[in-house]
Amino acid sequence: MSLLLESIRLDNGQFPLLTYHQSRVDRSCNDLFGKSGFALEDALRQARLPQSGVFKCRLVYNESGIEKIECTPYEKRIIHTVALVDTLYFEYKYKWLDRTMFTELLAANPDAEELLLHQQGRITDSCFSNLAFYDGSNWYTPAKPLLEGVRRRFLLDNNKTIAIDIFIDDLSKFSHCSFINAMLDLGDCVLDMDTALF
């Protein structure tokens, strides 16, 4: 079976969303392998990771357990241009290591720094993150993303975002788009919707 991936933020020796990562690993292992997951914190602590600075820890695993843990300094992306791409009936319920589909989509749209993915007009995600859109008062996240990210779940649980269906025709209602994932909090990587190129 293909390898699964968990990308985890390490912030000065702490893992801010570890309980959410653990829930996703447990769910993936249960759904795909029919068994409970492994203890993420134990695995990460044994890896002797840096205790100062912000790092992206990539944990690769499968049914047999953890294959690899690697940790690299994190540099936040800056995005100015996006393109809208229909992923049709593509499914990405689990966080797989193989991201061929996303790299091919990006290669097919060389003028865009990132893609806003949709399925027949309903916005889902970007190639590397979930999304949140700001209307001047509230942040809204697409109700049906391809992958339910840990940051998205945290923001919903803490009433920082509202999940609604967002269609292409709705994008003009929003002033900004925030890319959110385990490494990026709400507002860390923001796209001005007025100047983005679609």
Side-chain angles (χ1 to χ4, degrees):
M1 181 172 284
S2 298
L3 293 168
L4 290 153
L5 171 68
E6 202 64 25
S7 297
I8 302 172
R9 182 184 177 99
L10 174 62
D11 195 339
N12 291 317
Q14 302 299 314
F15 304 103
L17 299 176
L18 195 60
T19 56
Y20 287 87
H21 288 287
Q22 186 68 63
S23 294
R24 182 161 64 185
V25 167
D26 290 343
R27 184 171 59 252
S28 297
C29 288
N30 183 68
D31 291 353
L32 297 170
F33 313 139
K35 63 180 184 180
S36 59
F38 47 86
L40 273 176
E41 185 167 13
D42 291 347
L44 291 166
R45 294 300 178 197
Q46 290 174 11
R48 298 182 182 179
L49 301 174
Q51 296 300 300
S52 178
V54 178
F55 293 81
K56 182 176 184 177
C57 296
R58 299 175 82 250
L59 188 147
V60 178
Y61 67 100
N62 59 18
E63 185 175 6
S64 301
I66 298 170
E67 292 279 315
K68 178 173 60 173
I69 298 176
E70 59 183 14
C71 199
T72 56
Y74 180 68
E75 293 185 15
K76 184 170 61 177
R77 291 183 63 179
I78 298 174
I79 297 170
H80 301 289
T81 58
V82 293
L84 285 161
V85 173
D86 193 344
T87 57
L88 299 175
Y89 301 105
F90 176 72
E91 291 186 6
Y92 192 70
K93 185 178 178 181
Y94 305 102
K95 191 172 177 67
W96 300 106
L97 178 63
D98 183 358
R99 294 179 49 81
T100 303
M101 183 265 195
F102 297 110
T103 56
E104 289 178 349
L105 287 175
L106 284 165
N109 294 272
D111 294 333
E113 294 171 299
E114 185 50 51
L115 307 179
L116 296 189
L117 307 178
H118 66 94
Q119 292 192 319
Q120 298 181 314
R122 187 195 305 266
I123 303 298
T124 59
D125 320 71
S126 78
C127 288
F128 78 106
S129 73
N130 290 135
L131 303 167
F133 295 90
Y134 188 63
D135 70 353
S137 299
N138 296 296
W139 287 98
Y140 298 89
T141 189
K144 297 178 181 177
L146 293 174
L147 179 71
E148 170 121 12
V150 295
R151 179 76 64 184
R152 177 183 180 276
R153 184 73 261 160
F154 171 82
L155 292 170
L156 286 169
D157 287 350
N158 288 276
N159 300 312
K160 302 294 186 182
T161 57
I162 302 166
I164 61 170
D165 286 330
I166 300 174
F167 294 87
I168 290 174
D169 290 344
D170 297 325
L171 293 178
S172 61
K173 302 174 185 177
F174 302 106
S175 61
H176 294 86
C177 171
S178 183
F179 299 87
I180 52 175
N181 60 24
M183 300 302 300
L184 293 169
D185 202 349
L186 191 64
D188 283 349
C189 180
V190 176
L191 176 74
D192 187 334
M193 297 295 286
D194 291 331
T195 60
L197 301 178
F198 295 97

